[in-house]
Amino acid sequence: MEKAPRKPIFCSTPVIFLVVLSLLYIDLFWANFISFDRWKKDCSNSETIFNNRKIINETDEEKQNSLDFLFSSLLAGEDRSKLKATGFACNTAVHSIHCVTNRPVMIDTRTMTVYIPSDQPVQETVIKPYARQEDHNLLKIVTPVKILHGNTTPPVCQHNHEIPAVIFSSSGFVGNVFHEINEIIIPLYITSKNFKSRLLFILEDYKQSFISKYGKVISRLSSYEVMNPAADQSVHCFPGAVVGLMFHGHLSLNSSDVPKGHLMRELRQFLRQAFNLKFSHVSQIKRPTLMLLSRRTTRRFLNEDEMVAMMEDLGFRVIVVARAKVVSNLNIFANLINSCKVFVAAHGAGLTNELFLPNGAVMVQVDLVGLEWAGATYYGNPAQAMGVHYLRYKIEPEESSLLKVFGRNHTVMTDPRSVHDPLGKEAYLNGQNVRINLARFRETLVEALSLVGDSTL
Ligand SMILES: *[C@@H]1O[C@H](CO)[C@@H](O)[C@H](O)[C@H]1NC(C)=O
Ligand SMILES: *[C@@H]1O[C@H](CO)[C@@H](O)[C@H](O)[C@H]1NC(C)=O
Ligand SMILES: *[C@@H]1O[C@H](CO)[C@@H](O)[C@H](O)[C@H]1NC(C)=O
């Protein structure tokens, strides 16, 4: 849908172009140095430690006990009791659904059927393993998984695995960094982190672009290659399985939700390691560097050059990045954004990259007409838990291009909450650009500058 951008990235000074190149170089350098094998080795040292107790030679029984503990930690209350009693239980929430079994399973990747044999009457459960269950249109493109629990005749195993499987889908909004991270990457982390890489991911609706983009994250959550069921077409046996991913909230983790104890601080640390990010705290960055995310098609800044001039006047070194190849190459982009003290963008998926900012940095969201709720829910509220300061620049009607189109008294301008799709989406998301009031915006940036000043942080 997005037109090919004229320039993928441009910078306010040639110096900054060098920064991009050197980041690319660092990226390649580290990619060569920290090989997957070495990482796997490091990891296998740590996996012998479980429950603060060193397990030298785990017996089969001990192995099963550890797995049982991990499986039951993915459920609470009645669901957990049901898992203990029957070996199978599901949890249904607003956004997500996930089913857990701690019994041996046969997974037929030809039909995406999970067999959980027992002597009970057979029950069939069908779920679409994607953490946006409320979006019925979207779910249409997610391949269902059929779970047969009870007295069934499973096909014969062709491959035996000693570790459990996790089944999820990379369908949905793949290509959009917000949806990828919100609905797949964070839920995958929540669901699988405690297994310490000892599980195998079965990725339905497998997209190579997704694997390439998030390979560094995925390979830190599982020591095994991700399986593409469409290419596999055979029967695999596992000592247990999880179908679907757990979701705690938009771009967030809730440490009191199951599995208890996940912290945003640790997720950010995990992402920093995965992408070899240099800075954990804004004070480690010497110059006041600001990234301005420049959208090319919708929600554009109409006076971007003037904005940049004003920012430079305040003393910022400004990096302007266009939404394009650079942004979609997370290895490069995450490093680039991690080297900034302040991140400025209009409401949009690009703000998801606040996850890569160092602690104490500032995210400034230009909050457009009609997008207040989404701006707060998706990006503003999660920022605080990330240790990132959030400044909201709420535009006035005069700054929005919608004023000319609809006039001051149209409900689009006066009462956005009463405007429903498709008009809402067409106007606010796709039809709106902004001409920033420089004097007012300057105040927001002065505040940002004081927040990242060297004195207190
Ligand atoms: C663990 O098992 C290996 C091979 O079975 C054996 O050589 C080793 O002595 C065992 N270690 C302990 C602490 O039991
Ligand atoms: C976190 O999870 C707990 C337990 O499920 C819940 O009571 C609480 O409301 C959640 N907090 C947030 C901010 O969602
Ligand atoms: C908008 O409404 C106000 C008050 O109802 C009116 O005075 C004004 O002329 C209207 N403006 C336009 C552009 O229609």
Side-chain angles (χ1 to χ4, degrees):
M1 277 193 319
E2 249 169 52
K3 273 185 288 176
R6 281 170 303 246
K7 285 190 215 163
I9 176 165
F10 60 91
C11 297
S12 60
T13 67
V15 176
I16 292 162
F17 187 62
L18 283 178
V19 170
V20 178
L21 285 180
S22 62
L23 281 168
L24 236 176
Y25 175 74
I26 290 166
D27 196 53
L28 294 171
F29 178 80
W30 282 108
N32 286 334
F33 254 67
I34 303 185
S35 71
F36 182 56
D37 281 341
R38 197 192 106 201
W39 168 78
K40 244 188 351 194
K41 198 163 136 263
D42 292 349
C43 217
S44 61
N45 287 338
S46 68
E47 75 191 13
T48 54
I49 306 200
F50 181 70
N51 278 351
N52 297 328
R53 170 170 70 98
K54 216 166 190 168
I55 298 167
I56 309 289
N57 278 349
E58 239 182 0
T59 64
D60 284 349
E61 193 189 329
E62 279 170 330
K63 266 188 199 158
Q64 192 57 46
N65 284 344
S66 334
L67 268 185
D68 279 349
F69 172 79
L70 290 169
F71 284 131
S72 65
S73 73
L74 296 176
L75 296 166
E78 281 176 23
D79 298 332
R80 187 180 285 186
S81 312
K82 192 176 168 208
L83 178 72
K84 280 205 176 112
T86 70
F88 175 69
C90 298
N91 176 260
T92 307
V94 179
H95 301 285
S96 63
I97 179 165
H98 72 286
C99 295
V100 180
T101 175
N102 56 14
R103 298 273 171 87
V105 295
M106 294 88 220
I107 299 178
D108 188 340
T109 59
R110 290 168 300 187
T111 55
M112 284 318 287
T113 305
V114 178
Y115 298 85
I116 313 170
S118 79
D119 48 19
Q120 300 300 307
V122 70
Q123 284 185 341
E124 181 179 316
T125 307
V126 178
I127 73 166
K128 300 214 171 179
Y130 189 83
R132 200 177 166 90
Q133 294 289 310
E134 75 280 18
D135 192 334
H136 299 293
N137 266 335
L138 177 90
L139 286 187
K140 285 181 192 152
I141 58 169
V142 177
T143 302
V145 177
K146 192 203 281 187
I147 303 167
L148 291 174
H149 174 225
N151 194 356
T152 76
T153 315
V156 176
C157 288
Q158 291 166 284
H159 311 275
N160 276 296
H161 303 267
E162 287 192 346
I163 38 127
V166 174
I167 304 178
F168 62 103
S169 169
S170 71
S171 199
F173 292 106
V174 162
N176 175 309
V177 69
F178 170 74
H179 292 288
E180 289 166 343
I181 292 186
N182 186 56
E183 286 129 45
I184 307 177
I185 295 301
I186 297 179
L188 188 63
Y189 173 91
I190 293 172
T191 310
S192 63
K193 183 68 176 33
N194 289 342
F195 285 83
K196 298 195 181 336
S197 298
R198 298 176 63 171
L199 30 66
L200 189 143
F201 295 144
I202 301 180
L203 181 59
E204 281 197 305
D205 310 309
Y206 186 99
K207 297 212 168 43
Q208 188 53 48
S209 59
F210 177 79
I211 294 289
S212 311
K213 191 167 175 184
Y214 295 98
K216 288 186 171 188
V217 174
I218 293 169
S219 66
R220 282 185 168 253
L221 291 173
S222 165
S223 310
Y224 302 86
E225 200 180 325
V226 177
M227 187 192 293
N228 173 5
D232 178 77
Q233 300 286 298
S234 63
V235 181
H236 293 258
C237 291
F238 298 92
V242 181
V243 185
L245 302 177
M246 307 183 66
F247 181 87
H248 282 178
H250 292 109
L251 293 191
S252 54
L253 304 172
N254 178 346
S255 63
S256 44
D257 215 343
V258 286
K260 291 191 172 38
H262 279 317
L263 299 170
M264 176 51 83
R265 177 163 43 81
E266 287 167 4
L267 170 66
R268 278 168 42 91
Q269 170 76 6
F270 169 84
L271 292 173
R272 280 202 283 267
Q273 285 169 351
F275 291 109
N276 296 316
L277 304 185
K278 257 195 289 189
F279 303 111
S280 55
H281 195 273
V282 75
S283 59
Q284 297 160 330
I285 303 168
K286 299 223 164 54
R287 295 185 56 188
T289 308
L290 179 153
M291 178 184 287
L292 176 64
L293 193 64
S294 163
R295 296 177 61 99
R296 306 269 94 184
T297 50
T298 58
R299 286 164 268 153
R300 278 182 297 137
F301 293 124
L302 298 172
N303 53 345
E304 198 167 274
D305 291 348
E306 290 163 26
M307 289 166 70
V308 171
M310 183 265 281
M311 289 161 171
E312 287 177 340
D313 188 49
L314 279 172
F316 284 111
R317 182 176 70 141
V318 183
I319 303 177
V320 183
V321 179
R323 286 205 41 160
K325 279 214 177 84
V326 177
V327 182
S328 62
N329 184 333
L330 266 192
N331 290 337
I332 298 175
F333 192 64
N335 269 285
L336 194 54
I337 191 138
N338 178 254
S339 69
C340 295
K341 291 193 178 208
V342 178
F343 175 35
V344 175
H347 174 79
L351 281 170
T352 309
N353 294 289
E354 65 184 322
L355 271 168
F356 305 117
L357 283 169
N359 292 350
V362 177
M363 185 272 273
V364 180
Q365 175 169 218
V366 174
D367 201 353
L368 305 179
V369 174
L371 298 174
E372 269 176 50
W373 179 86
T377 307
Y378 298 147
Y379 310 112
N381 299 342
Q384 197 185 2
M386 295 181 198
V388 168
H389 299 286
Y390 171 48
L391 297 181
R392 166 176 176 251
Y393 178 78
K394 175 73 196 145
I395 67 164
E396 299 288 346
E398 290 72 22
E399 297 171 79
S400 173
S401 62
L402 295 178
L403 183 63
K404 264 196 198 129
V405 181
F406 292 96
R408 189 174 296 278
N409 291 347
H410 194 285
T411 49
V412 162
M413 298 307 288
T414 57
D415 188 14
R417 255 176 283 187
S418 70
V419 179
H420 297 291
D421 288 345
L423 176 60
K425 191 174 174 196
E426 279 316 305
Y428 302 128
L429 281 173
N430 298 334
Q432 182 168 213
N433 295 318
V434 55
R435 181 174 298 279
I436 294 288
N437 176 333
L438 294 172
R440 213 161 63 81
F441 194 50
R442 188 186 172 97
E443 289 167 26
T444 303
L445 293 180
V446 167
E447 192 181 346
L449 199 54
S450 75
L451 285 169
V452 297
D454 297 333
S455 52
T456 52
L457 287 164

Coordinates of all heavy atoms in Angstrom, one line a residue, residues 16-64:
I16 N 26.1 12.4 10.2 CA 25.1 11.4 10.6 C 25.0 10.2 9.7 O 24.8 9.1 10.1 CB 23.8 12.1 10.9 CG1 24.1 13.0 12.1 CG2 22.7 11.1 11.2 CD1 23.1 14.0 12.4
F17 N 25.3 10.5 8.4 CA 25.3 9.4 7.4 C 26.3 8.4 7.8 O 26.1 7.2 7.8 CB 25.5 10.0 6.0 CG 25.3 9.0 5.0 CD1 24.1 8.3 4.8 CD2 26.4 8.6 4.2 CE1 24.0 7.3 3.9 CE2 26.3 7.6 3.2 CZ 25.0 7.0 3.1
L18 N 27.5 9.0 8.3 CA 28.6 8.1 8.7 C 28.1 7.3 9.9 O 28.5 6.1 10.0 CB 29.8 9.0 9.1 CG 30.6 9.5 8.0 CD1 31.7 10.4 8.5 CD2 31.1 8.3 7.1
V19 N 27.3 7.9 10.8 CA 26.8 7.2 12.0 C 26.1 5.9 11.5 O 26.3 4.8 12.0 CB 25.9 8.0 12.8 CG1 25.2 7.2 13.9 CG2 26.7 9.2 13.4
V20 N 25.2 6.1 10.5 CA 24.4 5.0 10.0 C 25.3 3.9 9.4 O 25.2 2.7 9.7 CB 23.5 5.5 8.9 CG1 22.7 4.3 8.3 CG2 22.5 6.5 9.5
L21 N 26.3 4.4 8.6 CA 27.2 3.4 8.0 C 28.0 2.6 9.1 O 28.2 1.4 9.1 CB 28.2 4.1 7.1 CG 27.6 4.5 5.8 CD1 28.7 5.2 4.9 CD2 27.1 3.3 5.0
S22 N 28.5 3.4 10.1 CA 29.3 2.7 11.1 C 28.4 1.7 12.0 O 28.9 0.7 12.4 CB 30.0 3.7 12.0 OG 29.1 4.5 12.7
L23 N 27.1 2.1 12.1 CA 26.3 1.2 12.9 C 26.1 -0.1 12.1 O 26.1 -1.2 12.6 CB 24.9 1.8 13.1 CG 24.9 2.8 14.2 CD1 23.6 3.6 14.2 CD2 25.0 2.1 15.5
L24 N 26.0 0.1 10.7 CA 25.9 -1.1 9.9 C 27.1 -2.0 10.1 O 27.0 -3.2 10.2 CB 25.8 -0.6 8.4 CG 24.6 -1.0 7.6 CD1 24.8 -0.3 6.2 CD2 24.5 -2.5 7.5
Y25 N 28.2 -1.3 10.1 CA 29.5 -2.0 10.3 C 29.5 -2.8 11.6 O 29.8 -4.0 11.7 CB 30.6 -1.1 10.2 CG 32.0 -1.7 10.4 CD1 32.5 -2.6 9.5 CD2 32.6 -1.5 11.6 CE1 33.7 -3.2 9.7 CE2 33.8 -2.2 11.8 CZ 34.4 -3.0 10.9 OH 35.5 -3.7 11.1
I26 N 29.1 -2.1 12.7 CA 29.1 -2.7 14.0 C 28.2 -3.9 14.0 O 28.6 -5.0 14.5 CB 28.6 -1.7 15.1 CG1 29.7 -0.6 15.3 CG2 28.3 -2.4 16.4 CD1 29.1 0.6 16.0
D27 N 27.1 -3.7 13.3 CA 26.1 -4.8 13.2 C 26.7 -6.1 12.6 O 26.6 -7.2 13.1 CB 25.0 -4.3 12.4 CG 23.7 -5.1 12.5 OD1 23.3 -5.3 13.7 OD2 23.2 -5.6 11.5
L28 N 27.4 -5.9 11.5 CA 28.0 -7.0 10.8 C 29.1 -7.6 11.6 O 29.3 -8.8 11.7 CB 28.6 -6.6 9.4 CG 27.5 -6.1 8.4 CD1 28.1 -5.5 7.2 CD2 26.6 -7.3 8.1
F29 N 29.9 -6.7 12.3 CA 31.0 -7.1 13.1 C 30.5 -8.1 14.2 O 31.0 -9.2 14.3 CB 31.6 -5.8 13.7 CG 32.8 -6.1 14.6 CD1 34.1 -6.4 14.1 CD2 32.6 -6.1 15.9 CE1 35.1 -6.6 14.9 CE2 33.7 -6.3 16.8 CZ 34.9 -6.6 16.3
W30 N 29.5 -7.6 14.9 CA 29.0 -8.5 16.0 C 28.4 -9.7 15.5 O 28.4 -10.8 16.1 CB 28.1 -7.7 16.9 CG 28.9 -6.8 17.8 CD1 29.0 -5.4 17.7 CD2 29.8 -7.2 18.9 NE1 29.9 -5.0 18.6 CE2 30.3 -6.0 19.4 CE3 30.1 -8.4 19.4 CZ2 31.2 -6.0 20.4 CZ3 31.0 -8.4 20.5 CH2 31.5 -7.2 21.0
A31 N 27.7 -9.6 14.4 CA 27.0 -10.8 13.8 C 28.0 -11.9 13.6 O 27.8 -13.1 13.8 CB 26.3 -10.4 12.5
N32 N 29.2 -11.5 13.2 CA 30.3 -12.5 12.9 C 30.8 -13.0 14.2 O 31.2 -14.2 14.3 CB 31.4 -11.9 12.1 CG 31.0 -11.7 10.7 OD1 30.1 -12.4 10.2 ND2 31.6 -10.7 10.0
F33 N 30.9 -12.1 15.2 CA 31.6 -12.5 16.5 C 30.7 -13.4 17.4 O 31.2 -14.4 17.9 CB 32.0 -11.3 17.2 CG 33.5 -11.1 17.1 CD1 34.0 -10.8 15.9 CD2 34.3 -11.3 18.2 CE1 35.4 -10.6 15.7 CE2 35.7 -11.1 18.0 CZ 36.2 -10.8 16.8
I34 N 29.5 -13.0 17.6 CA 28.7 -13.8 18.5 C 27.9 -14.8 17.6 O 26.8 -14.5 17.1 CB 27.7 -12.8 19.3 CG1 28.6 -11.8 20.0 CG2 26.9 -13.6 20.2 CD1 27.8 -10.9 20.9
S35 N 28.5 -15.9 17.4 CA 27.8 -16.8 16.5 C 26.7 -17.5 17.3 O 26.7 -17.6 18.5 CB 28.8 -17.9 16.0 OG 29.2 -18.7 17.1
F36 N 25.8 -18.1 16.6 CA 24.7 -18.8 17.1 C 25.1 -20.0 18.0 O 24.7 -20.2 19.1 CB 23.7 -19.2 16.1 CG 22.5 -19.9 16.6 CD1 21.7 -19.2 17.5 CD2 22.1 -21.2 16.2 CE1 20.6 -19.8 18.0 CE2 21.0 -21.8 16.7 CZ 20.2 -21.1 17.6
D37 N 26.1 -20.7 17.4 CA 26.6 -21.8 18.2 C 27.2 -21.5 19.5 O 27.0 -22.2 20.5 CB 27.7 -22.5 17.3 CG 27.1 -23.4 16.2 OD1 25.9 -23.7 16.4 OD2 27.8 -23.7 15.3
R38 N 28.0 -20.4 19.5 CA 28.6 -20.0 20.8 C 27.5 -19.6 21.8 O 27.5 -20.0 22.9 CB 29.5 -18.8 20.6 CG 30.4 -18.7 21.8 CD 31.2 -17.5 21.9 NE 30.7 -16.6 22.9 CZ 30.9 -15.3 22.9 NH1 31.7 -14.8 21.9 NH2 30.5 -14.6 23.8
W39 N 26.5 -18.9 21.2 CA 25.4 -18.5 22.1 C 24.7 -19.7 22.7 O 24.3 -19.7 23.8 CB 24.5 -17.6 21.3 CG 23.2 -17.3 22.1 CD1 23.1 -16.5 23.1 CD2 22.0 -18.0 21.9 NE1 21.8 -16.6 23.6 CE2 21.2 -17.5 22.9 CE3 21.6 -19.0 21.1 CZ2 19.9 -18.0 23.1 CZ3 20.3 -19.5 21.2 CH2 19.5 -19.0 22.2
K40 N 24.5 -20.6 21.8 CA 23.7 -21.8 22.2 C 24.5 -22.5 23.4 O 23.9 -23.0 24.3 CB 23.6 -22.8 21.0 CG 22.1 -23.0 20.7 CD 21.8 -24.0 19.6 CE 22.9 -24.7 18.9 NZ 22.4 -25.5 17.8
K41 N 25.8 -22.5 23.2 CA 26.7 -23.1 24.2 C 26.5 -22.4 25.5 O 26.3 -23.0 26.6 CB 28.1 -23.1 23.7 CG 29.0 -24.1 24.5 CD 30.3 -24.3 23.7 CE 31.4 -24.3 24.7 NZ 32.2 -23.1 24.7
D42 N 26.6 -21.1 25.5 CA 26.4 -20.3 26.7 C 25.1 -20.6 27.4 O 25.0 -20.7 28.6 CB 26.4 -18.8 26.3 CG 27.8 -18.3 25.9 OD1 28.7 -19.1 26.0 OD2 27.8 -17.2 25.3
C43 N 24.1 -20.8 26.5 CA 22.8 -21.0 27.0 C 22.7 -22.3 27.6 O 22.0 -22.5 28.6 CB 21.8 -20.8 25.9 SG 20.4 -20.0 26.4
S44 N 23.3 -23.3 27.0 CA 23.1 -24.7 27.6 C 23.9 -24.8 28.9 O 23.5 -25.6 29.7 CB 23.6 -25.7 26.6 OG 25.0 -25.5 26.4
N45 N 24.8 -23.9 29.2 CA 25.4 -23.9 30.5 C 24.4 -23.4 31.6 O 24.3 -24.0 32.6 CB 26.6 -23.0 30.6 CG 27.8 -23.6 29.9 OD1 27.8 -24.8 29.7 ND2 28.7 -22.7 29.4
S46 N 23.6 -22.4 31.1 CA 22.7 -21.8 32.1 C 21.5 -22.7 32.3 O 20.8 -22.6 33.3 CB 22.3 -20.4 31.7 OG 21.5 -20.5 30.5
E47 N 21.2 -23.5 31.3 CA 19.9 -24.3 31.4 C 20.0 -25.4 32.4 O 19.0 -26.0 32.8 CB 19.4 -24.8 30.1 CG 20.2 -26.0 29.5 CD 19.8 -26.2 28.1 OE1 19.2 -25.4 27.5 OE2 20.2 -27.3 27.6
T48 N 21.2 -25.7 32.9 CA 21.3 -26.8 33.9 C 20.9 -26.2 35.3 O 20.8 -27.0 36.3 CB 22.7 -27.3 34.0 OG1 23.6 -26.2 34.2 CG2 23.1 -28.1 32.8
I49 N 20.7 -24.9 35.4 CA 20.3 -24.3 36.7 C 18.8 -24.1 36.6 O 18.3 -23.4 35.8 CB 21.0 -23.0 36.9 CG1 22.5 -23.2 36.8 CG2 20.6 -22.4 38.3 CD1 23.4 -22.3 37.4
F50 N 18.1 -24.7 37.5 CA 16.7 -24.6 37.5 C 16.2 -24.5 38.9 O 16.6 -25.3 39.8 CB 16.0 -25.8 36.8 CG 14.5 -25.7 36.7 CD1 13.9 -24.7 35.9 CD2 13.8 -26.5 37.5 CE1 12.6 -24.6 35.9 CE2 12.4 -26.4 37.4 CZ 11.8 -25.4 36.6
N51 N 15.3 -23.6 39.3 CA 14.9 -23.4 40.6 C 16.0 -23.2 41.6 O 16.0 -23.8 42.7 CB 14.0 -24.6 41.1 CG 12.6 -24.5 40.6 OD1 12.2 -23.4 40.1 ND2 11.8 -25.5 40.7
N52 N 17.1 -22.5 41.2 CA 18.2 -22.3 42.0 C 18.9 -23.6 42.5 O 19.6 -23.6 43.5 CB 17.9 -21.5 43.3 CG 17.4 -20.1 42.9 OD1 17.8 -19.6 41.9 ND2 16.5 -19.6 43.7
R53 N 18.7 -24.6 41.8 CA 19.2 -25.9 42.2 C 20.0 -26.5 41.0 O 19.4 -26.5 39.9 CB 18.0 -26.8 42.6 CG 18.3 -28.2 42.8 CD 17.0 -28.8 43.4 NE 15.9 -28.8 42.4 CZ 15.6 -29.9 41.8 NH1 16.2 -31.0 42.0 NH2 14.6 -29.9 40.9
K54 N 21.2 -26.9 41.2 CA 21.9 -27.4 40.1 C 21.5 -28.8 39.8 O 21.6 -29.7 40.7 CB 23.4 -27.3 40.3 CG 24.2 -26.9 39.1 CD 25.6 -26.5 39.4 CE 26.2 -25.9 38.1 NZ 27.4 -25.2 38.3
I55 N 21.1 -29.1 38.6 CA 20.7 -30.5 38.3 C 21.9 -31.0 37.4 O 22.1 -30.6 36.3 CB 19.4 -30.5 37.5 CG1 18.3 -29.9 38.3 CG2 19.1 -31.9 37.0 CD1 17.0 -29.7 37.5
I56 N 22.6 -31.9 38.0 CA 23.7 -32.5 37.3 C 23.2 -33.5 36.2 O 23.4 -33.3 35.0 CB 24.8 -33.1 38.2 CG1 25.1 -32.2 39.4 CG2 26.0 -33.6 37.5 CD1 26.0 -31.0 39.0
N57 N 22.7 -34.5 36.7 CA 22.1 -35.5 35.8 C 20.6 -35.7 36.1 O 20.2 -36.3 37.0 CB 22.8 -36.9 36.0 CG 24.1 -36.9 35.2 OD1 24.4 -36.1 34.4 ND2 24.8 -38.0 35.5
E58 N 19.8 -35.0 35.2 CA 18.4 -35.0 35.4 C 17.8 -36.4 35.1 O 18.1 -36.9 34.0 CB 17.8 -34.0 34.5 CG 17.0 -32.9 35.2 CD 16.4 -32.0 34.2 OE1 16.6 -32.1 33.0 OE2 15.7 -31.0 34.6
T59 N 17.0 -37.0 36.0 CA 16.4 -38.2 35.6 C 15.1 -37.8 34.8 O 14.7 -36.7 34.7 CB 15.9 -38.9 36.9 OG1 14.9 -38.1 37.5 CG2 17.0 -39.2 37.8
D60 N 14.5 -38.8 34.1 CA 13.3 -38.6 33.3 C 12.2 -38.0 34.2 O 11.5 -37.1 33.8 CB 12.9 -39.9 32.7 CG 13.7 -40.2 31.5 OD1 14.6 -39.4 31.1 OD2 13.6 -41.4 31.0
E61 N 12.2 -38.5 35.4 CA 11.1 -38.0 36.3 C 11.3 -36.5 36.6 O 10.4 -35.7 36.6 CB 11.1 -38.8 37.6 CG 9.8 -38.7 38.4 CD 10.0 -39.3 39.8 OE1 10.7 -40.4 39.8 OE2 9.4 -38.9 40.7
E62 N 12.6 -36.2 36.9 CA 12.9 -34.8 37.2 C 12.6 -33.9 36.0 O 12.0 -32.8 36.2 CB 14.3 -34.6 37.6 CG 14.6 -35.0 39.1 CD 16.0 -35.1 39.4 OE1 16.8 -35.4 38.5 OE2 16.4 -34.9 40.6
K63 N 12.9 -34.4 34.9 CA 12.6 -33.6 33.6 C 11.1 -33.3 33.5 O 10.7 -32.2 33.2 CB 13.1 -34.4 32.4 CG 14.5 -34.0 31.9 CD 14.8 -34.7 30.6 CE 16.3 -34.8 30.4 NZ 16.7 -35.8 29.4
Q64 N 10.3 -34.4 33.7 CA 8.9 -34.2 33.6 C 8.3 -33.3 34.7 O 7.5 -32.4 34.4 CB 8.2 -35.6 33.7 CG 6.7 -35.6 33.3 CD 6.5 -35.0 31.9 OE1 7.2 -35.4 30.9 NE2 5.6 -34.1 31.7

